[in-house]
Amino acid sequence: MISLDQIKEVIRECEQEHILKFYEELKNDERESFLNQLKRIKFKEVNGLFKKAQKAYSEGVEKVDSRIQPIPIDQFGSEKNADPEEVLTYRSLGLEAVSQGQVAVLLLAGGQGTRLGVSYPKGMYSVDLPSGKTLFQIQSERIRRVMQLAQQETGRNGSIVWYIMTSGPTNATTKKFLETNNYFGLNKENVKLFQQGLLPCFDFEGKILMEGKSVIALAPDGNGGIYRALMENHILDDMEKRGIKYIHAHSVDNILVKVADPVFLGYCIKKEAECGAKVVSKNSPNEAVGVVCKVDGKYQVVEYSEITEQTANLRNSSGNLVFSAGNICNHFFTTSFLQKIGKQYESELKLHVAKKKIPYIDDKGEKVKPSKPNGIKIEKFIFDVFQFTDKFVTWEVPRISEFSALKNADAAGKDCPSTARTDLLTLHKSYIEQVGGHINEGVEVEISPLLSYAGENIEQKVKGKKFDSTTILLSEEEALRSYINGVTNG
C-alpha cells in the first residue's frame, strides 16, 4: 500500500505540492478521503497528458484541406442506395450473430442531464411520450425486440449483453434506476455497468485545480476513455469469456438509435470490418458536425473548424457534398479490435482540450467561481481509434429514421426534448401509414419497441384503421400486463 510519504514524493517530483497546502488543517476523515483520492491519481501520467494537451491547444486548429479525402466508395455503404435483397442479407447476418450470443451493446451513458435542466443521468430522461418511457427503457426494449427477431429468424434464443459506461456522478443513480425497474425485462446477468475514468482539471500553467481543501477538481475523460475503462474494469475479459465477437456502441442521447441494429452489424460482418461508423448525410455544408473521412491515408473524424468553407462546399458530379458523412457517435467494433486498442494504442489517442470555467479554491482556501475560462479539461473521443485499422467501413442511414439528439433544453429549439419527441412520433406515423393506417391531424400514436423494432409486426393492428385520439400500440406482453393492472386496480 502506497504511503503518504511516497505520495508526497511523487507530488513533489511533479511540481504539484500546492494540492497539499491545507492538509494539516483537515480532520481525520477528510484526510483519509483525500489520501484515497490521491492514491488513484497517476500524477506522472496526468502531468504528461497536460503537456500533450498544452501543445494541442497552443498550436490551435490546423486546416487539413490539402490532406483530406472522402471514404472510398467500396467502404461506404448506404441504406438508401443498397439493393433491398442486399439489406436483407445484412439483416440475416446480424440476427444470426445475435442468435449465437456473439453481439453486445456498449452504451455511453456517463452524462448528466445538466443542459436539459435536470441533475440525474440523461438515460433516465423522459421526453413526455404518451407512454412516459425514458431513454433507458426505450433502448432496453429495443434490445429485447432484436432478440425476439433473431429467435424468429433462426429458432435460437441468443442473448445480447448490455454494457453501460457510466461516470462517477451517474453510476449509483443509474444502477438503482435499473434495479428498481427490473432492468426493463432484461436478464440482470446480462446488464453490466462500469465507470469511465476521471482526470484532474488544470489551470493554464499546468497546476492541478482544487475543488476544495481536500478534493481535487476532476472531470470525466471523455467517451474515448472507454478503451481504458474496458481494460481496467475487465469488461473485455468478460466479453471474451461470453464469446462476444461484435459490439454496437452508441451514445445514450439519440432517441431514434436502432440498438444492436442487425443491418449495420451484418453489413460490417459481411465486409469483415474491425471498426465501422454509422453516418447521416450532412444537412448543409455549414452544419457543425464532424465528418468521417481520411486524412493522410488514415480514417478519422474531421470537425467543421478543421476545413475551409471552400472544402466544406465541394460537390461531386451528382451534386452531392463530397464530405457529407456526418458522424453520429454510432459505431461497430470487433472485440479483437478493442483488445488491440487497449493493449497497443490507447496511450496514442489524440487529446482534445476544452477551456472551461472551473470552480476552485485559491491560496487562502476561498472558493472562486470564475467568470471566464480559467483552466482546461482533457478528453479523449471514441472515434479517434479509426486511424488504427485498415478494415474500416461506413454505413449511411436516413437521419429521419435514425438520428435525433437530445442535448439541450427546449428553449434552444434544437436537439431538445420537443424535437426528439416529435421526431420519434413522426417516424411511428410513417410506419403506420406505410401499412395502410391513418392518423388524423394532431393525433399522436406511439409504437412500443417491444411490438416493433423498425415498423414490422404492426400491420394487423393498424391496416385500414383511423386513429383519432392518442394511442399507444402495445406488445401482447404489455397489453396483458396493462389489463391485469387495470383489473387489480379496479
Side-chain angles (χ1 to χ4, degrees), residues 54-165:
Q54 186 181 43
K55 184 173 185 291
Y57 79 71
S58 64
E59 290 176 348
V61 177
E62 179 189 7
K63 300 294 184 182
V64 297
D65 298 70
S66 63
R67 297 149 47 206
I68 187 173
Q69 296 175 300
I71 299 295
I73 193 67
D74 62 331
Q75 292 166 270
F76 189 95
S78 170
E79 180 183 310
K80 180 177 68 174
N81 299 327
D83 182 276
E85 288 299 318
E86 195 177 11
V87 174
L88 285 175
T89 298
Y90 298 149
R91 182 178 183 274
S92 292
L93 279 172
L95 292 176
E96 175 67 24
V98 170
S99 75
Q100 299 280 3
Q102 297 173 345
V103 172
V105 171
L106 191 51
L107 178 63
L108 310 177
Q112 290 176 286
T114 309
R115 284 165 64 183
L116 292 169
V118 297
S119 59
Y120 49 79
K122 196 181 286 188
M124 292 168 53
Y125 194 86
S126 165
V127 299
D128 197 27
L129 293 168
S131 67
K133 290 180 179 179
T134 62
L135 294 177
F136 278 143
Q137 182 169 0
I138 292 167
Q139 291 169 23
S140 64
E141 290 180 353
R142 286 180 184 152
I143 291 174
R144 290 178 60 194
R145 180 61 184 160
V146 170
M147 290 191 291
Q148 291 171 4
L149 292 171
Q151 196 278 331
Q152 291 169 13
E153 173 110 351
T154 68
R156 287 187 297 272
N157 288 310
S159 61
I160 294 174
V161 183
W162 201 21
Y163 296 101
I164 303 174
M165 186 174 79

Side-chain angles (χ1 to χ4, degrees), residues 106 108 165 194-197 221-236 247 249 275-276 329 331-335 337-343 345-347 349 380-388:
L106 191 51
L108 310 177
M165 186 174 79
F194 65 102
Q195 291 187 54
Q196 70 184 106
D221 56 3
N223 58 26
I226 196 165
Y227 303 108
R228 172 168 288 199
L230 288 171
M231 294 290 289
E232 293 186 346
N233 292 283
H234 307 290
I235 299 299
L236 293 178
I247 311 297
C275 178
C329 194
H331 307 307
F332 167 90
F333 303 110
T334 61
T335 48
F337 178 69
L338 292 177
Q339 290 275 11
K340 182 171 70 172
I341 294 300
K343 293 175 181 177
Y345 297 114
E346 195 279 333
S347 62
L349 286 177
K380 297 177 181 180
F381 291 166
I382 190 170
F383 54 71
D384 281 326
V385 297
F386 295 175
Q387 62 178 309
F388 301 120

